Amino acid sequence: MSEPKRIAVTGAAGQICYSMLFRIANGDIYGPDQPVSLQLLEITPALGLLEAVKMELDDCAFPLLHDVVCTDDPKVALTDVDAALFVGAKPRGPGMERKDLISDNGKIFSSLGQILNEVGSPECKVVVVGNPANTNAYILKANAPNINPRNITALTRLDHNRAISQLAAKTDAKVSDITKMVIWGNHSTTQVPDITWATVDGKAATDLVDTAWAHDTFIPTVAKRGAAVIDARGSSSAASAANGVVDHMASWVQGTPDGDWVSMAVPSDGSYGIEEGLIYSFPVTCKDGDYTIIDDLTVTDAMKEKMLASQAELHEERDTVKDLLS
Ligand code: NAX
């Protein structure tokens, strides 16, 4: 067997990680022949809970799980990792404005970015999950110039999966029949779920559903699904978010199937007029551990307007944290 892949996970005693770590240890990111080591980071008060998570990981006796480190020292967690999954962040508290959350969480990502810059491997693959995910990834990128900027990404795969599920339900199809879904933009309610190129069992989705449904029902349902889950369960999506992270990383590492793509928030290369460097969700294909933005789709005027509105929100978020962009 090969050397273990080292994976750092922050916020490792939280809700998302309680679903995610067991999947990673089972080989769901790097595949069934690749051992993994977990380097788990928490804030000091949560270390007891993190030890309990480690006890359960031990008790699963996963054949691929080589080693588990639990720490409150980001340097220990981020040293020499092949992948870093930044899940830990503060949730929005009562009376807190979105911009307060951005500033508070932004500080976590500037500090972790600087430490990753110091101790991380330059080709380490990063996905930011903690919200606001795109802007936190942007802050991390600005603070970690030694890390390949292409490798700093944010999670919109949960939104992508939600969109597939909604289209499958509407067309009475199986989720496995759906290809070429797109999520453009920010992981927020300004995101743009787009079925323009989607197929359902080989047929164009746009021939199966009407435009009014696609614009007035599908887009808001997907974009507000996170809030609907909070209403239903009293806390934010955890198992489905964990699944989204595993899917995001597995596609990146193992590749996407021929004839399909996935959505990932990655540094823009200027495609579709989106400012270069902004962390923005695009359709991408993955191969040999790298991704390529699909840059030649013809977007409708209506979608372009929404895509630019999502970019404008990212610009506003960036203005709020400009002090953190060293
Ligand atoms: P939890 O509150 O259950 O867990 C977060 C954990 O992070 C806690 O254990 C906390 O102690 C830890 N933490 C806080 N600051 C830390 C720091 N500086 N270093 C290390 N650990 C730290 O939240 P959970 O449900 O797991 O959600 C985590 C984040 O994911 C939240 O920001 C949430 O908003 C975000 N989400 C993002 C999604 C996406 O698709 N991008 C979807 C789900 C989720 O809403």
Side-chain angles (χ1 to χ4, degrees), residues 10-17 41-43 46 87-91 105 108 112 128-131 133 155 158-159 187 236-238 241:
T10 76
Q15 290 280 316
I16 292 176
C17 291
L41 180 69
E42 259 298 346
I43 52 173
V87 183
K90 281 191 196 165
N105 281 339
I108 296 176
L112 289 177
V128 173
V129 181
N131 277 320
L155 185 73
L158 171 57
D159 309 297
H187 167 68
S236 64
S237 324

Side-chain angles (χ1 to χ4, degrees), residues 76 125 298 310 317:
V76 172
K125 288 181 163 55
T298 306
S310 200
E317 291 183 7

Side-chain angles (χ1 to χ4, degrees), residues 181-195:
M181 182 58 71
V182 178
I183 303 291
W184 303 105
N186 197 3
H187 167 68
S188 75
T189 52
T190 70
Q191 67 176 258
V192 192
D194 190 347
I195 62 161

